[in-house]
Amino acid sequence: DVKVTQSSRYLVKRTGEKVFLECVQDMDHENMFWYRQDPGLGLRLIYFSYDVKMKEKGDIPEGYSVSREKKERFSLILESASTNQTSMYLCASSSSGQAADTQYFGPGTRLTVL
Amino acid sequence: LAKTTQPISMDSYEGQEVNITCSHNNIATNDYITWYQQFPSQGPRFIIQGYKTKVTNEVASLFIPADRKSSTLSLPRVSLSDTAVYYCLVVPRGEYGNKLVFGAGTILRVKS
């Protein structure tokens, strides 16, 4: 069965801290994605990666960076966390870069920035 | 990307069939209709995808009329565990990149 795991289900950080969110997939997928989900706004794409060391900005990349050193792992970095980054963060992967391909999501990390 | 419109919420009872309709008036020729399901505190999960007429799998059926300007997700005999948010997406086939756009979805509440 396909599996996407995220390092934490809940995380509380302080304003200004550097935050790392880790995502690992075991499906040998080429593509990985980071979304944030906020009430009333649906899911919004932050960054995606179509290959190791490759990344593309999504709709809301400001305040975030990503790292993909290995195929199975995609990290989201908040360089200096702010309260408006309090949100649910979802990682996903898919086998190809086609938009219509199924995306497999992790359970999410609920981040609170105080 | 074609915009989708779906009801904000729906209520149903266990054992009933639930139909959730999605409107996508500006759907393009190479667009597919895709539905995801999201349970509380989990990430979305793919349910079904179709292009025209009818698609059925072990979870749901998807009905798409000839003009493809709308689609209906049908969940047969729902149970309490089907309580979730259901998202309708229109996605272009054959294109690459960040084209998945999730709206607010439909909150389905199944009661006993």
Side-chain angles (χ1 to χ4, degrees), chain B residues 60-91:
Chain B
S61 294
L62 179 60
F63 298 92
I64 305 166
D67 67 5
R68 303 199 328 121
K69 292 183 183 298
S70 67
S71 58
T72 300
L73 175 74
S74 181
L75 305 172
R77 295 182 301 282
V78 294
S79 64
L80 295 175
S81 63
D82 291 314
T83 294
V85 180
Y86 293 82
Y87 298 95
C88 169
L89 291 79
V90 171
V91 292

Coordinates of all heavy atoms in Angstrom, one line a residue, chain B residues 60-91:
Chain B
A60 N -17.3 4.6 -5.4 CA -18.3 5.5 -5.9 C -18.6 5.4 -7.4 O -17.9 4.6 -8.1 CB -17.8 6.9 -5.6
S61 N -19.6 6.1 -7.8 CA -19.8 6.3 -9.3 C -19.7 7.8 -9.6 O -20.1 8.6 -8.8 CB -21.2 5.7 -9.7 OG -21.2 4.3 -9.5
L62 N -19.3 8.0 -10.8 CA -19.2 9.4 -11.3 C -20.0 9.5 -12.6 O -19.8 8.7 -13.6 CB -17.8 9.8 -11.6 CG -17.5 11.2 -12.1 CD1 -18.0 12.2 -11.1 CD2 -16.0 11.3 -12.3
F63 N -21.0 10.4 -12.6 CA -21.9 10.6 -13.8 C -21.5 11.9 -14.4 O -21.5 12.9 -13.8 CB -23.3 10.5 -13.4 CG -23.8 9.2 -12.8 CD1 -23.7 9.0 -11.4 CD2 -24.2 8.2 -13.6 CE1 -24.1 7.9 -10.9 CE2 -24.6 7.0 -13.0 CZ -24.6 6.8 -11.7
I64 N -21.3 11.9 -15.7 CA -20.9 13.1 -16.5 C -21.8 13.2 -17.7 O -21.7 12.3 -18.6 CB -19.4 13.0 -16.9 CG1 -18.5 12.8 -15.6 CG2 -19.0 14.4 -17.6 CD1 -17.1 12.4 -16.0
P65 N -22.6 14.2 -17.8 CA -23.5 14.3 -19.0 C -22.7 14.7 -20.2 O -21.5 15.0 -20.1 CB -24.4 15.5 -18.6 CG -23.6 16.3 -17.6 CD -22.8 15.3 -16.8
A66 N -23.4 14.7 -21.4 CA -22.7 14.9 -22.6 C -22.0 16.2 -22.7 O -20.9 16.3 -23.3 CB -23.7 14.7 -23.8
D67 N -22.6 17.3 -22.2 CA -22.0 18.6 -22.3 C -20.8 18.8 -21.3 O -20.1 19.8 -21.4 CB -23.0 19.7 -22.2 CG -23.6 19.8 -20.8 OD1 -23.2 19.1 -19.9 OD2 -24.5 20.6 -20.6
R68 N -20.7 17.9 -20.4 CA -19.6 17.9 -19.4 C -19.5 19.2 -18.6 O -18.5 19.4 -17.9 CB -18.2 17.6 -20.1 CG -18.2 16.4 -20.9 CD -16.8 15.9 -21.2 NE -15.8 16.8 -21.4 CZ -14.7 16.9 -20.7 NH1 -14.5 16.0 -19.7 NH2 -13.8 17.8 -20.9
K69 N -20.6 19.9 -18.5 CA -20.5 21.2 -17.7 C -20.8 20.9 -16.2 O -20.8 21.8 -15.4 CB -21.5 22.2 -18.3 CG -21.1 22.7 -19.7 CD -22.1 23.7 -20.2 CE -21.7 24.2 -21.6 NZ -20.4 24.8 -21.6
S70 N -21.2 19.7 -15.9 CA -21.4 19.3 -14.5 C -21.0 17.9 -14.3 O -20.9 17.1 -15.3 CB -22.8 19.6 -14.1 OG -23.7 18.7 -14.8
S71 N -21.0 17.4 -13.1 CA -20.8 16.0 -12.8 C -21.4 15.7 -11.5 O -21.6 16.6 -10.7 CB -19.3 15.6 -12.9 OG -18.5 16.4 -11.9
T72 N -21.7 14.4 -11.3 CA -22.3 14.0 -10.0 C -21.6 12.8 -9.4 O -21.4 11.8 -10.1 CB -23.8 13.6 -10.2 OG1 -24.5 14.8 -10.7 CG2 -24.4 13.2 -8.9
L73 N -21.1 13.0 -8.2 CA -20.5 11.9 -7.5 C -21.6 11.2 -6.7 O -22.3 11.8 -6.0 CB -19.4 12.4 -6.5 CG -18.8 11.4 -5.6 CD1 -17.8 10.6 -6.4 CD2 -18.1 12.1 -4.4
S74 N -21.7 9.9 -6.9 CA -22.7 9.1 -6.2 C -22.1 8.1 -5.3 O -21.3 7.3 -5.6 CB -23.6 8.4 -7.2 OG -24.6 7.7 -6.6
L75 N -22.5 8.2 -4.0 CA -22.0 7.3 -3.0 C -23.2 6.4 -2.6 O -24.2 6.9 -2.0 CB -21.5 8.1 -1.7 CG -20.4 9.1 -2.0 CD1 -20.2 10.0 -0.8 CD2 -19.1 8.5 -2.5
P76 N -23.1 5.1 -2.8 CA -24.2 4.2 -2.5 C -24.2 3.8 -1.1 O -23.2 3.6 -0.5 CB -23.9 3.0 -3.4 CG -22.4 3.0 -3.5 CD -22.0 4.4 -3.5
R77 N -25.4 3.9 -0.5 CA -25.6 3.4 0.9 C -24.5 3.9 1.9 O -23.6 3.1 2.3 CB -25.6 1.8 0.9 CG -26.8 1.3 0.2 CD -26.8 -0.2 0.3 NE -25.6 -0.8 -0.3 CZ -25.4 -1.0 -1.6 NH1 -26.3 -0.6 -2.5 NH2 -24.3 -1.6 -2.0
V78 N -24.5 5.2 2.1 CA -23.4 5.7 3.0 C -23.5 5.2 4.4 O -24.6 4.8 4.9 CB -23.5 7.3 3.0 CG1 -23.2 7.8 1.6 CG2 -24.8 7.8 3.4
S79 N -22.4 5.3 5.1 CA -22.3 4.9 6.5 C -21.7 6.1 7.2 O -21.3 7.1 6.6 CB -21.5 3.7 6.7 OG -20.1 4.0 6.3
L80 N -21.7 6.0 8.6 CA -21.1 7.1 9.4 C -19.7 7.5 8.9 O -19.3 8.6 9.0 CB -21.2 6.8 10.8 CG -22.6 6.6 11.5 CD1 -22.5 6.2 12.9 CD2 -23.4 7.9 11.4
S81 N -19.0 6.5 8.5 CA -17.6 6.6 8.2 C -17.4 7.4 6.9 O -16.2 7.7 6.5 CB -16.9 5.3 8.1 OG -17.4 4.5 7.1
D82 N -18.5 7.6 6.1 CA -18.4 8.4 4.9 C -18.4 9.9 5.2 O -18.3 10.8 4.3 CB -19.5 8.0 3.9 CG -19.3 6.7 3.4 OD1 -18.1 6.3 3.0 OD2 -20.3 5.9 3.4
T83 N -18.6 10.3 6.4 CA -18.6 11.7 6.8 C -17.2 12.3 6.5 O -16.2 11.8 7.1 CB -18.9 11.9 8.3 OG1 -20.3 11.5 8.6 CG2 -18.7 13.3 8.8
A84 N -17.2 13.3 5.6 CA -15.9 13.8 5.1 C -16.2 15.0 4.3 O -17.3 15.4 4.1 CB -15.2 12.7 4.3
V85 N -15.1 15.6 3.8 CA -15.2 16.7 2.8 C -14.9 16.1 1.5 O -13.9 15.4 1.3 CB -14.2 17.9 3.1 CG1 -14.3 19.0 2.1 CG2 -14.5 18.4 4.5
Y86 N -15.7 16.4 0.5 CA -15.5 15.9 -0.9 C -15.2 17.0 -1.8 O -15.9 18.0 -1.9 CB -16.8 15.1 -1.3 CG -17.0 13.9 -0.5 CD1 -17.6 13.9 0.7 CD2 -16.5 12.7 -1.0 CE1 -17.8 12.8 1.5 CE2 -16.7 11.5 -0.2 CZ -17.3 11.6 1.0 OH -17.5 10.4 1.8
Y87 N -14.1 16.9 -2.5 CA -13.6 17.9 -3.4 C -13.7 17.5 -4.9 O -13.3 16.4 -5.2 CB -12.1 18.2 -3.2 CG -11.7 18.7 -1.8 CD1 -11.3 17.8 -0.8 CD2 -11.8 20.1 -1.5 CE1 -11.0 18.3 0.4 CE2 -11.5 20.6 -0.3 CZ -11.1 19.7 0.7 OH -10.7 20.1 1.9
C88 N -14.3 18.4 -5.7 CA -14.4 18.2 -7.1 C -13.3 19.0 -7.8 O -13.2 20.2 -7.5 CB -15.8 18.7 -7.6 SG -16.0 18.8 -9.4
L89 N -12.5 18.4 -8.6 CA -11.4 19.1 -9.3 C -11.5 18.8 -10.8 O -11.9 17.8 -11.2 CB -10.0 18.6 -8.8 CG -9.6 18.9 -7.4 CD1 -10.2 18.0 -6.4 CD2 -8.0 18.8 -7.4
V90 N -11.1 19.8 -11.6 CA -11.0 19.7 -13.0 C -9.5 19.8 -13.3 O -8.9 20.8 -13.0 CB -11.8 20.8 -13.7 CG1 -11.5 20.7 -15.2 CG2 -13.3 20.6 -13.5
V91 N -9.0 18.7 -13.9 CA -7.6 18.7 -14.2 C -7.3 18.4 -15.6 O -7.9 17.5 -16.2 CB -6.9 17.6 -13.3 CG1 -6.9 18.0 -11.8 CG2 -7.6 16.2 -13.4

